[in-house]
Amino acid sequence: MRDSAESTTPAIKCKQGQFVLYRDPEMFWTGQAGHTFVCRVQRSWMEGTYDLVAVATGRFVHEAGGDYMRLLPAVDAMRDIDTAPLNPDGAADDMTAAAIAWLTQQHATANQRAELPAQRD
């Protein structure tokens, strides 16, 4: 049983498909580089561990402990789009390429003429 005084942040409950930041404890405590990386949750186990797949490398992590994971909320990933200035002058300087691509797509879609479906005879 886990001592609640051990951890300052409670373990999280993740669902399949969510993105998490995972820190490999063995790599971390032995001082190895690359110990922290973004993963997608593949499966959760009853005892509170998870099977993960590293997003960048496809590395499989079996039974990762929830204490070594932090949920990556969509709101954090999308903050640059949500807080983008309405003034277009210099707005792109503070935004990621993904944010600019999304806004460009939205602009193109919003400025298209609405088309009615073809009439049936």
Side-chain angles (χ1 to χ4, degrees), residues 68-87:
Y68 291 95
M69 297 167 40
R70 295 296 178 263
L71 187 61
L72 294 174
V75 69
D76 290 343
M78 303 305 286
R79 182 171 286 124
D80 59 340
I81 291 174
D82 295 338
T83 60
L86 296 177
N87 180 0

Side-chain angles (χ1 to χ4, degrees), residues 19-20 34 36-40 52-60:
F19 290 97
V20 296
T36 305
F37 44 94
V38 176
C39 294
R40 185 181 285 241
L52 310 174
V53 174
V55 174
T57 64
R59 173 183 166 198
F60 184 75

Side-chain angles (χ1 to χ4, degrees), residues 2 10-14 22 41 43-52 62-69:
R2 184 175 106 139
I12 56 172
K13 300 282 185 190
C14 295
Y22 173 68
V41 176
R43 177 180 308 133
S44 61
W45 297 98
M46 295 292 287
E47 66 274 2
T49 60
Y50 299 87
D51 285 348
L52 310 174
H62 183 62
E63 293 189 1
D67 288 336
Y68 291 95
M69 297 167 40

